[in-house]
Amino acid sequence: MEKLKIAIQKSGRLSEKSLDIISEAGINLVNGSRKLISLSSNFPLEILYLRDDDIPQYVADGVADAGIVGENVYMEAGNQLEILERLGFARCRLSLAVPKSTEYNGPVYFAGKKIATSYPNILQSYLTENKIPAEIHVINGSVEIATGIGLADAIFDIVSSGSTLISNGLKEVERVMNSEAVLLASPLMNIKKKEITGEFLFRLRTVLASRNNKYILLNAPNDKLDQIISVLPGMKSPTVLPLAIEGWSSVHSVVNENDFWQVIGKLREYGAEGILVIPIEKMIV
Ligand code: PRT
Ligand code: ZN
């Protein structure tokens, strides 16, 4: 039987979360010891465990049908693959940073400077696009110490909280790209594999939607219902049910995580009471 081969990182920042999302999609893996391959007992899928840097090429060659990798690694590899879905974890950015005492006057600062990075291709496109003639010095690992030891004038590296930069006496001056884990697809899949990919993707999207949305219930005075409903779009529209007490209704809806606090603020302002927020186990989109 045809199986979808999905490459994920063997061990590192993406590993656990890649396995979590697959497991939340109801896909059981046997032989989860992460040796080389795991099979699923209830879905036509096989996991290949690889170094993240190798994943785009394996997917491009069709050795893996799909892969989960940071967008930064995908962009650096330069393969032309389809991003099937952005997965919302391992968020970070690739930024230029300089010693904190530097008087920084914009990207022209980098003209004639030496920049250390493990991402030469992404950096080169940025420099070319902005017509900055700078020298790229490629190093793998510990890029953040390059300026301190006199190897470079600036660095171009992954930033998440920013604390690595601070503890190395650096400041972030240009954010060049944002990154998160993405699901890549091989252009070489046959029809059967594309079908399995479709089902896999449907399940992933269900998991992502459930993660990104909350179910909300509240009591609303009837004379404020219109205002309250206007901030609660819901999947189609909110459910409104009369309460036993005269003049009040119970309102049920779904709220996106991104708008959550803003919506709660408005609901309170409009007189909503007894607001309950409940996680969604599965949301079919
Ligand atoms: O062994 P393998 O090659 O598979 O793994 P790896 O060592 O190359 O990668 P890994 O596991 O470190 O990271 C995998 C992916 O996670 C990266 O390609 C990014 O897409 C993503 N990611 C998210 C991060 C970070 N956040 C992150 N903070 N990758 C690295 N960092 C490092 C960064 O290099 C810097 O040293 O953390 C430091 C910065 O963090 P802050 O919080 O101090 O700013
Ligand atoms: Zn790597």
Side-chain angles (χ1 to χ4, degrees):
M1 198 177 65
E2 200 77 86
K3 283 194 194 71
L4 195 68
K5 290 187 200 151
I6 301 188
I8 69 169
Q9 190 187 25
K10 187 174 165 67
S11 82
R13 285 186 161 84
L14 301 171
S15 311
E16 222 49 60
K17 292 199 166 131
S18 303
L19 288 170
D20 285 351
I21 203 168
I22 290 167
S23 137
E24 275 181 58
I27 298 169
N28 294 332
L29 298 176
V30 282
N31 176 22
S33 58
R34 292 195 218 166
K35 284 271 181 304
L36 193 61
I37 292 177
S38 297
L39 284 173
S40 170
S41 55
N42 63 355
F43 194 84
L45 175 146
E46 191 172 293
I47 303 286
L48 309 181
Y49 298 97
L50 298 171
R51 280 201 58 203
D52 66 348
D53 314 72
D54 295 334
I55 292 176
Q57 193 58 47
Y58 272 68
V59 174
D61 293 342
V63 176
D65 303 305
I68 297 178
V69 76
E71 229 173 328
N72 53 317
V73 169
Y74 167 57
M75 293 297 286
E76 182 62 24
N79 303 93
Q80 293 292 318
L81 301 169
E82 190 185 351
I83 294 185
L84 290 181
E85 194 55 78
R86 316 178 81 78
L87 303 175
F89 60 85
R91 285 182 195 277
C92 58
R93 52 197 189 268
L94 272 171
S95 294
L96 281 156
V98 297
K100 69 171 188 290
S101 57
T102 307
E103 258 183 58
Y104 182 75
N105 56 348
V108 289
Y109 168 82
F110 294 103
K113 297 286 197 303
K114 201 174 188 183
I115 310 170
T117 188
S118 314
Y119 294 91
N121 295 329
I122 298 173
L123 177 58
Q124 189 57 65
S125 331
Y126 171 82
L127 294 173
T128 306
E129 210 170 280
N130 290 281
K131 302 191 175 60
I132 304 164
E135 187 187 332
I136 299 177
H137 188 88
V138 181
I139 46 178
N140 291 308
S142 302
V143 172
E144 64 279 0
I145 64 167
T147 60
I149 60 173
L151 197 64
D153 305 300
I155 68 159
F156 177 63
D157 201 9
I158 294 176
V159 182
S160 173
S161 66
S163 61
T164 302
L165 293 184
I166 292 171
S167 55
N168 285 280
L170 295 161
K171 64 179 177 189
E172 183 178 10
V173 289
E174 298 293 336
R175 293 184 178 200
V176 172
M177 76 170 271
N178 290 319
S179 176
E180 66 188 279
V182 292
L183 177 71
L184 300 175
S186 168
L188 305 171
M189 273 190 266
N190 62 29
I191 291 190
K192 184 68 197 155
K193 287 192 176 192
K194 280 189 180 150
E195 262 175 46
I196 306 171
T197 305
E199 173 62 22
F200 180 64
L201 201 52
F202 167 72
R203 293 197 188 190
L204 284 192
R205 287 180 176 151
T206 299
V207 172
L208 293 170
S210 332
R211 285 182 180 179
N212 293 338
N213 291 279
K214 299 275 180 260
Y215 193 77
I216 183 164
L217 299 102
L218 56 91
N219 296 329
N222 286 346
D223 58 345
K224 295 281 174 54
L225 261 179
D226 288 348
Q227 276 174 306
I228 286 176
I229 288 170
S230 72
V231 294
L232 285 175
M235 286 178 82
K236 259 205 172 61
S237 78
T239 307
V240 180
L241 301 164
L243 284 189
I245 171 176
E246 190 77 21
W248 285 78
S249 298
S250 168
V251 180
H252 301 202
S253 192
V254 170
V255 180
N256 191 285
E257 192 89 304
N258 297 329
D259 315 326
F260 185 75
W261 290 108
Q262 200 191 349
V263 169
I264 296 291
K266 288 233 172 81
L267 292 174
R268 295 178 65 204
E269 182 188 328
Y270 296 154
E273 290 181 9
I275 303 173
L276 294 179
V277 179
I278 301 166
I280 295 171
E281 169 66 29
K282 292 283 183 289
M283 179 164 159
I284 314 301
V285 281

